[in-house]
Amino acid sequence: MTTKQQYDQYKTTMQKIADVKYSNALLQWDQETYMPTGAANVRARQLATLSEIAHEMSTTANLGDLLTDLLSKDDLSAEEKFNVKQSHEDYFKQKKYTSVFVRELSEATSAAFNNWVKARNEDDFSLFENDLNKLIELKLQEADLLGYQNHPYNALLNEYDKGATVAQNDLLFEALKKGLIPIVEKIKAQPQVNDDFLKQHFPKDQQWQLGIEVLKIMGYDFTTGRQDIAAHPFTINFGSTDVRVTTRIDENDFSNMLFSCIHEGGHALYEQGLLDENYGLPMGEYSSLVVHESQSRLWENHMGKSLEFWQHYYLELVKRFPKQLQQVDVNSFYKGINKVIPSLIRTEADEVTYHFHVMIRYGIEKLLLTKQIKAKDIPAIWNELYKNLLGVIVPSNANGCLQDVHWSHGSFGYFSTYSMGTMMAAQLFQSFENQYESNNEYNYENKIRKILFWLRENVHIFGKAKNTNELCISISGENLNVRYLLDYLTKKYLAHP
Amino acid sequence: MTTKQQYDQYKTTMQKIADVKYSNALLQWDQETYMPTGAANVRARQLATLSEIAHEMSTTANLGDLLTDLLSKDDLSAEEKFNVKQSHEDYFKQKKYTSVFVRELSEATSAAFNNWVKARNEDDFSLFENDLNKLIELKLQEADLLGYQNHPYNALLNEYDKGATVAQNDLLFEALKKGLIPIVEKIKAQPQVNDDFLKQHFPKDQQWQLGIEVLKIMGYDFTTGRQDIAAHPFTINFGSTDVRVTTRIDENDFSNMLFSCIHEGGHALYEQGLLDENYGLPMGEYSSLVVHESQSRLWENHMGKSLEFWQHYYLELVKRFPKQLQQVDVNSFYKGINKVIPSLIRTEADEVTYHFHVMIRYGIEKLLLTKQIKAKDIPAIWNELYKNLLGVIVPSNANGCLQDVHWSHGSFGYFSTYSMGTMMAAQLFQSFENQYESNNEYNYENKIRKILFWLRENVHIFGKAKNTNELCISISGENLNVRYLLDYLTKKYLAHP
């Protein structure tokens, strides 16, 4: 066989594996949007079977031989070489898992998800405790399977951001905390911001229409996407030609839908920006969850929560909601949506105190994974940390340690990507601003188009070919760091009080 | 291994195959309901991959050996024996297909479906012609793979109704035609029925609510089902705990949604009536498409289009649509929804002339599969047959030979099950009536509950364990025949003119 024939065979295999993984993703999307409740058990086994099949297809001896063969070829293009190298690495990682383990983990997370929903609805942590212990056990087994240096958590962090370590995360979180505390203190000393107008009644249908409109303004392509309602907003895709967002609508909390919609839109633009020709290949996959989060946070915070955006769009918004907003001027609106106040719920937190939520979860995960605590200890520690770090009294586990879905998915090591991604967003956005300001006459619509184009060119098209730090360095000349985020927050909150 | 262990292993394998098939079905459901248009190509390959995987899993040497082994065991229950026997037969049938053929057929039908949609929208048959020729070629290959006696069409008919033959179908259609023609003639001589009130404006949302309500009245369980909008109403399931219906709403044609909703509801009740414990096993699958259609037609015609039903429900209907219906009494409504008039569109045809639509398609399929005609000849023959058999001038291919989706799915041999199923519905319903009348005091709500219970007990729970004729004989003491349908239509349309 020629190298080209071998490469084609590799590509065909990878595309078939992707077909199964994306079918699995559709089962998940459906589970969270439209699936009738009575189907939960059967869906769990369908998910487990597709996971098992994808794993088996990813670990055949044929594929291993083919990859090893291709790795030694010198007549591949740079992109082809990258794909082969990455797939070769993934192959040997996948080989560390048994099919039995893959199925067990899939079934355990389905059960945990269902029990988490119950526990949260009934505000009864004990309904979720056993599942959580079981998942921690499985994730520790996974860390052992994958291997790690220094800390089992490193193996899991690595799954979401290749190369991430506890040591590095600790340093970044420490610097972030040190930078944020004085900012919070200074904001506290400012006059209280009024955001009562956001808590008026905003009818569901009108909010929905606004969300669709905002996604269109961002450049989200509805011929390769759609929005639906889900209990917990998320973005999911089945290739770059089918990238779906979900949202939720609280009729009495306007900013909830609006910013979750922009956030998910940012994730979705990334997936729509991956090249269809790379379907199933590493070049066709997102770089890391940190990079993914940098996209959602860039759109949510640096665009959607900017004064510029609302100077451009506020008149239209007031036209849609005259009763609620005609007494509110654009500056008051801007201040309201950016009000800083320590709160209970991470997804509704402001840009400044948000990171304390993440740090609390990161700290608890470290304790769980080093067996210093068990699931049953979480509520007490959670509540204690919220009191100490945020000054917030947690009234119930439903609004406390049960608020987020991630642990029920077995996603330990995921949360820290939220803060790292937010840092990266600030780093990217400043780099864009530097170039944009020097090149363009100001026009906000033009700026939106430009930033999407810039992200496509500098981030999206590379897929996995550049990791988090490589992207940061190639774009900003620096490693991922906290400075850009702290500068941005300082300028936003302290320069014009 | 003990027999029990072997049987468990067989069951596990079958359940995993079902997981893949039902995942494939979810991809289809999504394609017809919510999928963004830009995803068509990628979805086609995802469907093809899952088809290929299901086929590979269904034809492993291990499964063959296991089935052959189990077939000789005498310590299996009757049900277990049936499952093994049926799976053994299916296994050797599946072995006749190559994976390449399965993938090719799946990809060809996806392409054909997309081109059929285009051809129909643009009223341009030529856009679909090549796909159709390709599919006919593939279906003839399939007939050769499967083997047949006398007629290649027999192999395809057999896929939808085991044991069905051209010879038998010809006889039944001949008898049906002979019986229907004088009925149509006599109806023509009756005073014209007024159904203008059905063509008023019935708002979409209210129609939707009515559809949901009617499904509930029938006993459709929304905890294991849901309804969505699709261009072409269908029922699909992913196990008996997730059985979904779709409908379409024409605001200016009230009966369209109403009866398609009841029709699909009938299909769905059958799938919800299969036992969850038989998931993946032959006992957990519907008997044949004829039996499936008997369920939908029984609910649509014998219940939904009966005077009894509307005597029970008409006041409620008028309450929902007072403006449109308050001037219409229940007898006029009943006559209107049962108006007999030859028409263009099969799915909107009345109970009497409906079967001519089916016969036309059946005749054309025979010509195609014996290569007496090619795809390009269809429009002319179609239009000629509509003129001769129904007296209807076909104004466009979009409303003529492009109206139905089936051929784009490669479903040749499917249409005749519509008439056979309708015959069976009449046969079943009369058997129920005989028992019901002698056992029960009259109460329509009670009757609805009873008939569902009766269908569950006499049809649903058997799954594949009884074929079409076995069910007909066990319930009515007779083979499937035309007498019941003709008697029913005579009584309905000619006894009380």
Side-chain angles (χ1 to χ4, degrees):
Chain A
M1 252 199 288
T2 64
T3 302
K4 185 176 178 320
Q5 284 168 329
Q6 283 191 309
Y7 190 82
D8 285 348
Q9 199 186 320
Y10 150 73
K11 197 169 156 179
T12 302
T13 307
M14 295 306 289
Q15 288 176 334
K16 284 190 187 178
I17 295 169
D19 291 337
V20 178
K21 286 183 178 169
Y22 288 135
S23 301
N24 194 305
L26 182 71
L27 293 172
Q28 285 169 35
W29 171 83
D30 181 70
Q31 184 175 42
E32 312 265 332
T33 51
Y34 295 118
M35 189 188 80
T37 52
N41 289 337
V42 165
R43 181 56 51 90
R45 55 163 300 129
Q46 292 164 344
L47 285 163
T49 294
L50 289 205
S51 298
E52 195 183 350
I53 290 170
H55 176 256
E56 280 165 7
M57 291 169 80
S58 305
T59 52
T60 62
N62 275 347
L63 179 60
D65 294 344
L66 184 62
L67 286 165
T68 305
D69 238 32
L70 276 167
L71 204 59
S72 66
K73 303 289 178 185
D74 47 18
D75 50 345
L76 289 170
S77 73
E79 290 194 2
E80 288 169 344
K81 254 183 207 153
F82 168 76
N83 283 330
V84 169
K85 193 167 159 282
Q86 181 66 43
S87 294
H88 188 263
E89 193 181 316
D90 291 344
Y91 176 83
F92 286 99
K93 204 180 85 184
Q94 281 299 314
K95 286 293 273 186
K96 295 175 177 173
Y97 295 93
T98 63
S99 289
V100 172
F101 181 82
V102 169
R103 185 169 194 102
E104 195 181 355
L105 186 60
S106 177
E107 286 177 341
T109 52
S110 290
F113 173 75
N114 289 325
N115 287 327
W116 168 76
V117 170
K118 250 184 245 151
R120 191 181 167 198
N121 286 342
E122 299 175 22
D123 190 20
D124 182 352
F125 183 79
S126 71
L127 298 175
F128 181 47
E129 192 186 313
N130 289 340
D131 293 276
L132 200 47
N133 279 324
K134 164 96 181 168
L135 282 176
I136 293 159
E137 201 43 61
L138 286 170
K139 295 308 273 190
L140 281 170
Q141 276 180 42
E142 190 177 358
D144 283 339
L145 285 173
L146 293 170
Y148 57 84
Q149 290 193 308
N150 303 326
H151 202 298
Y153 202 16
N154 285 346
L156 305 181
L157 292 172
N158 195 58
E159 291 300 282
Y160 302 107
D161 186 33
K162 202 169 142 184
T165 60
V166 171
Q168 194 189 36
N169 274 6
D170 283 352
L171 282 176
L172 284 167
F173 275 127
E174 203 45 53
L176 185 58
K177 193 170 161 186
K178 210 179 129 197
L180 287 178
I181 287 174
I183 297 177
V184 173
E185 288 308 313
K186 282 178 200 154
I187 293 172
K188 263 192 200 158
Q190 294 171 1
Q192 178 112 352
V193 168
N194 178 14
D195 68 347
D196 292 349
F197 59 87
L198 295 170
K199 315 289 176 191
Q200 298 172 88
H201 185 259
F202 290 77
K204 200 171 163 180
D205 286 355
Q206 276 174 272
Q207 285 202 47
W208 174 261
Q209 285 308 326
L210 174 68
I212 299 285
E213 180 64 23
V214 167
L215 286 168
K216 283 181 185 163
I217 290 172
M218 292 167 67
Y220 176 75
D221 180 357
F222 274 93
T223 68
T224 56
R226 54 175 292 114
Q227 180 169 263
D228 298 274
I229 295 287
H232 321 285
F234 63 93
T235 302
I236 197 165
N237 68 299
F238 325 120
S240 66
T241 56
D242 196 347
V243 182
R244 304 187 187 184
V245 292
T246 60
T247 193
R248 62 179 162 201
I249 295 176
D250 180 343
E251 292 204 312
N252 301 309
D253 183 359
F254 181 55
S255 58
N256 200 322
M257 182 292 299
L258 182 58
F259 295 107
S260 112
C261 186
I262 300 175
H263 180 96
E264 300 306 329
H267 281 303
L269 289 174
Y270 186 14
E271 293 289 346
Q272 287 188 332
L274 294 167
L275 301 182
D276 190 29
E277 70 201 51
N278 290 326
Y279 180 87
L281 301 174
M283 288 278 298
E285 269 171 51
Y286 67 89
S287 170
S288 72
L289 275 192
V290 171
V291 177
H292 229 309
E293 193 69 10
S294 77
Q295 302 303 294
S296 56
R297 297 296 270 178
L298 186 149
W299 285 95
E300 181 189 1
N301 295 341
H302 298 272
M303 302 293 284
K305 289 189 173 171
S306 70
L307 186 57
E308 261 186 308
F309 183 92
W310 292 106
Q311 281 169 338
H312 170 69
Y313 193 66
Y314 193 61
L315 277 181
E316 170 61 27
L317 186 72
V318 177
K319 233 184 264 169
R320 286 168 182 261
F321 301 101
K323 199 166 56 101
Q324 296 89 339
L325 296 177
Q326 66 191 356
Q327 304 298 328
V328 183
D329 66 32
V330 63
N331 285 311
S332 306
F333 182 80
Y334 169 71
K335 283 197 178 163
I337 59 174
N338 284 294
K339 180 174 182 175
V340 174
I341 186 157
S343 63
L344 263 177
I345 307 296
R346 179 186 60 83
T347 57
E348 297 166 14
D350 61 81
E351 288 183 74
V352 183
T353 63
Y354 179 84
H355 301 283
F356 297 120
H357 293 261
V358 176
M359 291 176 206
I360 290 169
R361 287 154 176 82
Y362 175 72
I364 292 177
E365 288 187 359
K366 279 204 291 186
L367 293 170
L368 287 167
L369 291 166
T370 47
K371 299 190 182 175
Q372 296 177 66
I373 61 168
K374 302 270 281 177
K376 72 166 167 33
D377 306 316
I378 293 175
I381 294 175
W382 181 283
N383 297 353
E384 170 100 13
L385 286 169
Y386 265 73
K387 209 171 110 194
N388 293 346
L389 211 54
L390 282 156
V392 166
I393 303 298
V394 177
S396 68
N397 290 329
N399 287 316
C401 61
L402 288 170
Q403 68 179 263
D404 272 315
V405 68
H406 307 59
W407 288 342
S408 83
H409 290 158
S411 301
F412 297 92
Y414 191 121
F415 280 114
S416 52
T417 68
Y418 287 142
S419 286
M420 305 310 160
T422 308
M423 291 178 206
M424 183 171 176
Q427 203 156 336
L428 292 181
F429 193 73
Q430 188 55 53
S431 302
F432 168 75
E433 286 279 41
N434 294 345
Q435 291 175 30
Y436 182 75
E437 279 172 14
S438 58
N439 289 340
N440 291 80
E441 268 184 83
Y442 183 78
N443 166 319
Y444 199 71
E445 275 178 41
N446 179 43
K447 186 168 179 177
I448 295 178
R449 278 193 302 275
K450 286 276 163 161
I451 194 156
L452 179 54
F453 182 76
W454 185 87
L455 291 169
R456 292 256 142 101
E457 295 287 295
N458 289 285
V459 180
H460 303 180
I461 58 161
F462 295 109
K464 263 200 162 35
K466 292 188 179 185
N467 69 22
T468 307
N469 251 324
E470 285 164 352
L471 285 170
C472 287
I473 291 170
S474 75
I475 294 170
S476 70
E478 293 178 35
N479 278 330
L480 178 65
N481 67 67
V482 300
R483 185 172 64 82
Y484 290 93
L485 176 60
L486 293 174
D487 283 354
Y488 156 73
L489 292 175
T490 303
K491 197 172 151 198
K492 181 165 184 172
Y493 288 100
L494 304 181
H496 311 286
Chain B
M1 252 198 285
T2 65
T3 302
K4 183 171 180 324
Q5 285 168 327
Q6 283 192 308
Y7 190 82
D8 285 347
Q9 198 185 321
Y10 150 72
K11 199 169 154 181
T12 301
T13 307
M14 296 305 289
Q15 287 176 334
K16 285 190 186 179
I17 295 169
D19 291 335
V20 178
K21 286 183 177 169
Y22 287 135
S23 300
N24 194 306
L26 183 71
L27 293 173
Q28 285 170 36
W29 171 83
D30 181 70
Q31 184 176 41
E32 312 264 335
T33 51
Y34 295 117
M35 188 187 81
T37 53
N41 289 336
V42 165
R43 180 57 50 91
R45 55 162 302 129
Q46 291 163 346
L47 286 163
T49 295
L50 289 205
S51 297
E52 198 183 348
I53 291 171
H55 175 256
E56 280 165 8
M57 291 169 81
S58 305
T59 52
T60 62
N62 275 349
L63 180 58
D65 294 346
L66 184 62
L67 286 165
T68 306
D69 237 34
L70 276 166
L71 204 59
S72 67
K73 303 290 178 186
D74 48 17
D75 50 344
L76 289 169
S77 73
E79 289 193 2
E80 289 168 344
K81 256 184 203 150
F82 167 75
N83 283 329
V84 169
K85 192 167 160 284
Q86 181 66 44
S87 294
H88 188 262
E89 195 181 314
D90 291 344
Y91 176 84
F92 286 99
K93 204 180 83 184
Q94 281 299 315
K95 286 293 272 186
K96 296 175 177 174
Y97 294 93
T98 63
S99 288
V100 173
F101 181 82
V102 168
R103 184 168 196 104
E104 195 180 355
L105 186 61
S106 177
E107 287 177 339
T109 53
S110 290
F113 173 75
N114 290 325
N115 286 327
W116 168 75
V117 171
K118 251 185 244 153
R120 192 183 166 196
N121 287 342
E122 300 175 23
D123 190 20
D124 182 354
F125 183 77
S126 71
L127 298 175
F128 181 47
E129 194 186 312
N130 290 339
D131 293 276
L132 199 46
N133 279 324
K134 165 95 181 170
L135 282 176
I136 293 159
E137 202 44 61
L138 286 169
K139 295 309 272 191
L140 282 169
Q141 277 180 40
E142 189 177 358
D144 283 340
L145 285 173
L146 294 170
Y148 57 85
Q149 290 193 310
N150 303 325
H151 202 299
Y153 202 14
N154 285 346
L156 305 181
L157 292 172
N158 195 57
E159 290 300 282
Y160 303 108
D161 186 33
K162 201 170 143 184
T165 61
V166 172
Q168 194 190 35
N169 274 8
D170 283 352
L171 283 176
L172 284 167
F173 276 128
E174 203 46 53
L176 184 57
K177 192 171 162 184
K178 211 178 129 196
L180 287 178
I181 287 174
I183 297 177
V184 173
E185 289 307 314
K186 282 178 199 152
I187 293 172
K188 263 192 201 159
Q190 293 172 1
Q192 180 110 354
V193 168
N194 178 14
D195 67 348
D196 292 348
F197 59 87
L198 293 170
K199 314 290 177 189
Q200 298 173 87
H201 186 259
F202 290 77
K204 203 172 161 178
D205 286 355
Q206 276 174 272
Q207 284 202 47
W208 174 261
Q209 284 308 325
L210 173 69
I212 299 286
E213 179 65 21
V214 167
L215 286 168
K216 283 182 185 162
I217 290 173
M218 291 168 68
Y220 176 74
D221 180 357
F222 275 92
T223 67
T224 56
R226 53 177 290 114
Q227 180 169 263
D228 299 273
I229 294 287
H232 320 285
F234 63 92
T235 302
I236 198 164
N237 68 299
F238 325 121
S240 66
T241 56
D242 194 347
V243 181
R244 305 185 187 186
V245 292
T246 60
T247 194
R248 62 178 162 203
I249 296 177
D250 179 344
E251 292 204 312
N252 300 309
D253 182 359
F254 181 55
S255 57
N256 200 321
M257 182 292 298
L258 182 58
F259 295 108
S260 112
C261 185
I262 300 176
H263 180 97
E264 301 307 329
H267 281 304
L269 288 174
Y270 185 13
E271 294 289 346
Q272 286 187 334
L274 294 167
L275 301 182
D276 190 31
E277 70 201 47
N278 290 326
Y279 180 87
L281 301 174
M283 287 280 298
E285 270 171 50
Y286 68 88
S287 171
S288 73
L289 276 192
V290 171
V291 176
H292 230 308
E293 193 69 10
S294 77
Q295 302 302 295
S296 55
R297 298 296 270 177
L298 186 149
W299 285 97
E300 180 188 1
N301 295 341
H302 298 273
M303 303 293 284
K305 290 189 173 171
S306 71
L307 186 58
E308 261 186 307
F309 183 90
W310 293 106
Q311 281 169 339
H312 170 68
Y313 192 66
Y314 192 62
L315 276 181
E316 169 61 25
L317 185 71
V318 176
K319 233 184 267 169
R320 287 169 180 258
F321 300 101
K323 199 166 56 104
Q324 297 89 338
L325 296 176
Q326 67 191 357
Q327 303 298 329
V328 183
D329 66 32
V330 63
N331 285 311
S332 307
F333 181 82
Y334 169 71
K335 283 195 179 167
I337 60 174
N338 284 294
K339 180 174 181 174
V340 174
I341 186 158
S343 63
L344 264 177
I345 307 295
R346 178 185 62 82
T347 56
E348 297 167 13
D350 60 80
E351 286 183 77
V352 184
T353 63
Y354 179 84
H355 301 283
F356 298 121
H357 294 259
V358 176
M359 290 175 206
I360 290 169
R361 287 154 175 81
Y362 174 71
I364 292 176
E365 288 187 357
K366 279 203 292 185
L367 292 170
L368 287 167
L369 292 167
T370 48
K371 300 190 182 177
Q372 296 176 68
I373 61 168
K374 300 271 280 178
K376 73 167 165 35
D377 307 314
I378 293 175
I381 295 173
W382 181 283
N383 297 353
E384 170 100 12
L385 286 168
Y386 266 72
K387 208 171 112 194
N388 294 345
L389 211 55
L390 282 156
V392 166
I393 303 297
V394 177
S396 68
N397 291 328
N399 286 315
C401 60
L402 288 170
Q403 68 179 261
D404 272 315
V405 68
H406 307 59
W407 289 341
S408 84
H409 289 159
S411 300
F412 297 92
Y414 191 121
F415 280 114
S416 52
T417 67
Y418 287 141
S419 287
M420 306 309 160
T422 308
M423 292 177 203
M424 183 171 175
Q427 203 156 336
L428 292 181
F429 193 73
Q430 188 55 53
S431 302
F432 168 75
E433 286 280 41
N434 295 344
Q435 291 175 30
Y436 183 76
E437 279 172 14
S438 59
N439 288 340
N440 291 79
E441 268 185 83
Y442 183 78
N443 167 320
Y444 200 70
E445 275 179 41
N446 179 43
K447 187 169 178 177
I448 294 178
R449 279 195 301 276
K450 285 277 162 163
I451 194 156
L452 178 55
F453 183 76
W454 185 86
L455 291 169
R456 292 257 143 99
E457 293 287 294
N458 288 283
V459 180
H460 303 179
I461 57 160
F462 294 108
K464 262 199 164 34
K466 292 188 180 185
N467 69 23
T468 307
N469 251 323
E470 285 164 352
L471 285 170
C472 287
I473 292 169
S474 74
I475 293 170
S476 70
E478 293 179 37
N479 278 329
L480 178 66
N481 67 67
V482 300
R483 186 172 64 80
Y484 290 92
L485 176 60
L486 293 174
D487 284 355
Y488 156 74
L489 292 174
T490 303
K491 199 173 150 200
K492 180 165 186 172
Y493 288 100
L494 304 181
H496 312 286

